[in-house]
Amino acid sequence: MPFQHIVFAIEDGVALLSFNRPAQLNSFNTAMHLEVREALKQVRHSSEARVLLLTGEGRAFCAGQDLSDRNVAPGADMPDLGESIDRFYNPLVRTLRDLPMPVVCAVNGVAAGAGANIPLACDLVLAARSASFIQAFCKIGLVPDSGGTWLLPRLVGMARAKALAMLGERLGAEQAEQWGLIHRVVDDAALRDEALALARQLATQPTYGLALIKRGLNASFDNGFDDQLQLERDLQRLAGRSDDYREGVNAFMNKRTPAFKGR
Amino acid sequence: MPRYLDVQPPANGVQLVTLQRPDALNALCTALLAELAATLEAAAQDDQVAAVVITGNLKAFAAGADIAEMAERDLVGMLNDPRIAHWRTIAAFPKALVAAVNGYALGGGCELAMCADIIVAGSDARFGQPEINLGIMPGAGGTQRLLRAVGKPLAMQMVLTGEPISSQHALQAGLVSEVTQPEFTVERALHIARTIAAKAPLAVRLAKQALLQAGDTDLASGLRLERQAFTVLAGTADRDEGIRAFQEKRQPHFQGR
């Protein structure tokens, strides 16, 4: 069945997933959540996808939760927001972090609420110069979710994390780059081409090795030095068994360009 | 020839048994259970086997019993269920049994893992007893071994809600002894099994018995059983060899006598 709320295709090793509710600034309702989940499942089980590129259609990247999808009328039962997080947002960011391939995120415009934190669960974030990150949660009495409270202090330090989360002010893309929240700022007009070029480049790389790098770096926040050294040993063992490692060494020895298969 | 199992010939005293029903997430149909019981019975008699490692694949250790099969059994069918005898055989395996668990270990799969003496889990393993969701309950040790392993609050939560726990949670709770990268689960389990296989077989057997009894008896009886087993080992050639090798600072050569 065709998707309604996202654009999704796998081509030349690149899986492109673009939020597509431009009139609602690509905010999440249940239907979009389900389509994103289905697309990510296809990426995980695809034999050809070697990189995921995540972006948004129109002028926004993603404005977080669509509040019109929430029932908080006076007299209505108190909603259980934890349930929606359990069902949708947590599985989504877990999937992005666990996906065994690089995940590139092209933030094409405003990224607010959960939409500001979803990029942080990706591996390489590019942002248009006009894009901005807004931890809008505090403005409506909520807490940063989708990993925000965990990722922000680790990316920008506690002082800046608290300022972002408690003031809910707009953080411009250039500032986000200076703070180390994202990888790189790109001119608006060039964002999609640059992101695609990066994704295509990554799709030619040793995907399995990159997935192991991702596993190691993601685990580093939870491990002590010694545990991490042991993890490195185990990941290197796995990497050393890959076809791409053999190809890489062989190509280096014979002074030729390696042809990686991603295995 | 087993149909649902891959049984490797023993190497270094260890036999690797792999559940192979991939299209059904290794659901434990009666035929699979019968093959497993027969395999362990043969391994118990085989002098080449000191320990067995049992595993599934990366996606599932075993995702439960075969529901379609269960649906066909009425009350009388349940009373005459051949599975009970198979479970008893598996639980009574006298040598070391190590489970290498990746992916789902649910229902009968979780119960099977708990029949092992040691569980090594991959970081993405999930343990659960979801029977309650089908209007039934665990029927092969899930209400007994789980309680002994993780204590009452968590066992109650798992059995009454049917919700699984992560391997990290299982490690904290004492259900598993080690969590590894999923790709290394079988290697770690084999390594542990080989380590055990190098010990004196009679000592391993009696130590396993004593530990299993510890969960079932009062402390005084348990201590008495332990002492009896300890005393029995005094009559073995392997004990003399073990002590002598230690004194002479060399590797012992055990013969199982």
Side-chain angles (χ1 to χ4, degrees):
Chain A
M1 66 153 231
F3 292 116
Q4 277 187 307
H5 306 292
I6 61 171
V7 178
F8 177 69
I10 300 177
E11 238 173 84
D12 303 329
V14 177
L16 175 81
L17 196 172
S18 191
F19 302 133
N20 190 22
R21 299 181 74 222
Q24 293 80 21
L25 302 180
N26 298 329
S27 59
F28 274 96
N29 60 2
T30 299
M32 187 162 98
H33 267 300
L34 290 170
E35 291 191 358
V36 168
R37 173 177 297 183
E38 173 55 30
L40 289 175
K41 195 167 144 191
Q42 288 182 27
V43 173
R44 183 181 277 284
H45 295 296
S46 153
S47 51
E48 52 162 329
R50 286 169 64 177
V51 58
L52 170 66
L53 173 55
L54 189 65
T55 188
E57 299 297 315
R59 59 195 178 89
F61 169 70
C62 172
Q65 173 65 36
D66 184 344
L67 293 175
S68 68
D69 213 43
R70 290 257 188 260
N71 175 18
V72 280
D77 277 351
M78 279 296 185
D80 178 1
L81 298 188
E83 202 229 352
S84 126
I85 287 179
D86 252 341
R87 271 182 68 199
F88 295 122
Y89 291 100
N90 283 355
L92 169 59
V93 291
R94 278 198 188 106
T95 301
L96 292 171
R97 264 177 71 88
D98 293 347
L99 210 60
M101 66 186 69
V103 177
V104 178
C105 186
V107 180
N108 51 297
V110 74
N117 290 329
I118 286 165
L120 310 186
C122 301
D123 302 315
L124 293 161
V125 185
L126 307 182
R129 208 166 292 283
S130 69
S132 60
F133 296 82
I134 310 168
Q135 298 290 329
F137 305 93
C138 59
K139 300 286 192 192
I140 52 170
L142 296 181
V143 175
D145 61 23
S146 306
T149 60
W150 192 87
L151 287 159
L152 284 170
R154 286 170 167 81
L155 291 166
V156 298
M158 191 56 91
R160 283 169 172 166
K162 282 187 174 156
L164 288 172
M166 289 184 163
L167 300 175
E169 287 167 358
R170 174 185 178 284
L171 179 74
E174 287 181 4
Q175 185 77 309
E177 183 195 66
Q178 282 161 16
W179 283 9
L181 187 75
I182 62 170
H183 168 52
R184 204 151 59 83
V185 174
V186 179
D187 288 334
D188 286 26
L191 176 72
R192 199 167 258 233
D193 287 346
E194 288 228 17
L196 269 170
L198 179 64
R200 286 190 185 121
Q201 154 66 12
L202 281 165
T204 67
Q205 296 306 296
T207 311
Y208 182 58
L210 295 178
L212 295 173
I213 291 175
K214 178 171 171 166
R215 242 156 94 175
L217 289 172
N218 281 346
S220 76
F221 286 140
D222 307 325
N223 278 340
F225 185 57
D226 212 50
D227 285 339
Q228 191 68 14
L229 286 176
Q230 296 199 19
L231 177 64
E232 281 180 2
R233 175 205 61 202
D234 286 347
L235 296 175
Q236 201 70 299
R237 259 189 192 144
L238 290 169
R241 294 176 187 175
S242 68
D243 295 346
D244 282 347
Y245 167 62
R246 263 191 294 279
E247 167 65 10
V249 173
N250 191 293
F252 176 83
M253 291 300 199
N254 295 303
K255 298 193 173 57
R256 60 174 176 83
T257 311
F260 294 120
K261 294 197 178 62
R263 299 191 292 274
Chain B
M1 275 304 283
R3 190 175 141 202
Y4 296 119
L5 297 181
D6 174 65
V7 182
Q8 291 291 311
N12 301 319
V14 177
Q15 185 155 50
L16 177 64
V17 177
T18 308
L19 308 186
Q20 277 187 329
R21 252 194 110 193
D23 47 351
L25 289 174
N26 289 336
L28 305 172
C29 59
T30 303
L32 189 158
L33 216 49
E35 286 174 10
L36 186 57
T39 301
L40 289 178
E41 236 166 353
Q45 300 303 319
D46 187 346
D47 287 341
Q48 296 302 303
V49 180
V52 169
V53 170
I54 176 168
T55 191
N57 54 43
L58 281 172
K59 207 165 166 183
F61 176 71
D66 193 300
I67 307 297
E69 209 179 52
M70 194 187 304
E72 288 173 7
R73 277 203 195 96
D74 56 3
L75 176 62
V76 178
M78 277 295 175
L79 284 169
N80 299 319
D81 193 345
R83 300 165 67 87
I84 304 167
H86 301 324
W87 280 115
R88 206 175 291 129
T89 305
I90 294 164
F93 182 61
K95 298 172 180 177
L97 184 61
V98 183
V101 177
N102 282 316
Y104 299 113
L106 302 178
C110 186
E111 289 169 316
L112 176 60
M114 290 190 292
C115 283
D117 306 311
I118 297 164
I119 304 177
V120 179
S123 53
D124 59 355
R126 292 262 177 286
F127 296 84
Q129 301 288 167
E131 288 90 342
I132 202 86
N133 299 330
L134 306 182
I136 55 174
M137 59 178 277
T143 64
Q144 305 300 305
R145 292 194 179 94
L146 190 63
L147 180 103
R148 286 165 170 76
V150 305
K152 181 181 150 193
L154 183 58
M156 282 283 181
Q157 183 180 316
M158 286 172 71
V159 171
L160 300 184
T161 68
E163 284 168 9
I165 59 171
S166 68
S167 54
Q168 214 51 45
H169 196 167
L171 180 70
Q172 287 162 1
L175 182 63
V176 310
S177 67
E178 219 179 272
V179 173
T180 69
Q181 297 295 307
E183 295 91 335
F184 290 118
T185 315
V186 175
E187 277 178 46
R188 277 298 305 157
L190 285 170
H191 178 81
I192 291 168
R194 281 195 292 266
T195 306
I196 297 170
K199 312 298 176 197
L202 293 170
V204 170
R205 190 185 194 124
L206 288 172
K208 168 171 170 165
Q209 257 177 34
L211 281 159
L212 284 177
Q213 280 163 344
D216 302 331
T217 62
D218 56 282
L219 180 61
S221 315
L223 289 169
R224 209 164 36 244
L225 289 163
E226 181 194 70
R227 197 67 218 176
Q228 282 169 354
F230 184 82
T231 307
V232 163
L233 289 176
T236 63
D238 280 349
R239 189 202 74 146
D240 297 343
E241 164 65 7
I243 291 175
R244 208 170 23 243
F246 176 79
Q247 288 169 335
E248 296 168 6
K249 295 191 172 65
R250 59 172 174 83
Q251 285 295 311
H253 300 290
F254 295 124
Q255 327 227 357
R257 289 202 307 269

